[in-house]
């Protein structure tokens, strides 16, 4: 096995890198991308600097770990920012801006309204009559704050 490793030259690394990148195209979600790039870098370095087989694999491992770590940090920062802006699975926050017509008079203070197929706890700063078009202007915990649609925010 050592004899096989000692025979590796830059063409082997370039071929390995290309094979890993081609396998990445099959949909491995980025797992092989950084390994393929690392193998190509080792092949590129070996065209100029001869290295022992152990140094080749050490260089490959360092490039692979470093590039994967850098990508993970970048992607983690992007994902965290997206999670803060997203309303996915935050049904209360998705309700802001929604409108509905009241089917019953709404008292001053707190009451219930029907939006879609759900009854919501809501509050308003003024009593509202049945048939009024209302808009959700914000959410306080699980309580929707509503106001008549034609009112200024």
């Amino acid at each position: 096995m050592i004899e096989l490793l000692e025979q590796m030259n830059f063409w082997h690394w370039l071929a390995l890198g290309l094979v890993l990148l081609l396998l990445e195209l099959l949909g491995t979600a980025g797992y092989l991308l950084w390994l393929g790039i690392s193998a190509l870098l080792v092949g590129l370095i070996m065209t100029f600097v001869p290295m022992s087989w152990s140094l080749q694999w050490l260089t490959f491992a360092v490039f692979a770990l470093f590039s994967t770590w850098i990508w993970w940090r970048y992607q983690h920062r992007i994902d965290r920012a997206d999670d803060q802006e997203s309303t996915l699975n935050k049904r209360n926050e998705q309700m802001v801006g929604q409108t509905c017509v009241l089917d019953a008079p709404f008292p001053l203070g707190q009451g219930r309204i029907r939006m879609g197929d759900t009854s919501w706890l809501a509050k308003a700063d003024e009593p509202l009559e049945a048939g009024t078009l209302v808009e959700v202007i914000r959410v306080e915990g699980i309580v929707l704050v509503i106001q008549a649609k034609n009112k200024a925010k």
Side-chain angles (χ1 to χ4, degrees):
M1 182 71 175
I2 300 284
E3 293 171 6
L4 180 65
L5 292 174
E6 288 175 345
Q7 294 175 5
M8 286 191 70
N9 60 29
F10 70 95
W11 288 114
H12 293 108
W13 284 105
L14 294 177
L16 176 62
L18 291 175
V19 166
L20 289 169
L21 290 176
L22 286 173
L23 289 174
E24 174 63 34
L25 291 176
L26 296 176
T28 61
Y31 294 114
L32 299 177
L33 175 66
W34 303 108
L35 295 177
I37 291 172
S38 298
L40 288 174
L41 286 173
V42 171
L44 186 65
I45 290 171
M46 283 199 55
T47 59
F48 302 109
V49 179
M51 291 188 278
S52 68
W53 70 269
S54 56
L55 187 58
Q56 292 174 34
W57 284 99
L58 181 64
T59 305
F60 173 71
V62 168
F63 282 155
L65 289 172
F66 184 70
S67 61
T68 304
W69 178 72
I70 291 293
W71 176 252
W72 176 83
R73 284 185 46 121
Y74 169 77
Q75 190 64 45
H76 186 66
R77 189 180 78 238
I78 298 291
D79 289 346
R80 228 179 326 151
D82 287 346
D83 285 346
Q84 290 173 353
E85 295 173 9
S86 174
T87 60
L88 182 65
N89 294 328
K90 299 174 186 172
R91 189 163 182 203
N92 292 355
E93 292 178 21
Q94 291 175 355
M95 299 304 291
V96 175
Q98 298 289 323
T99 59
C100 72
V101 176
L102 294 177
D103 55 354
F106 192 86
L108 175 64
Q110 216 163 346
R112 294 198 78 77
I113 63 169
R114 186 141 189 92
M115 293 195 72
D117 61 350
T118 307
S119 175
W120 291 85
L121 191 58
K123 71 178 185 179
D125 295 335
E126 61 184 349
L128 301 167
E129 296 179 16
T132 305
L133 180 65
V134 295
E135 178 182 17
V136 177
I137 57 172
R138 71 178 179 276
V139 178
E140 296 175 356
I142 60 169
V143 179
L144 304 179
V145 179
I146 60 171
Q147 72 177 15
K149 177 70 171 163
N150 57 1
K151 291 237 176 207
K153 290 183 183 177

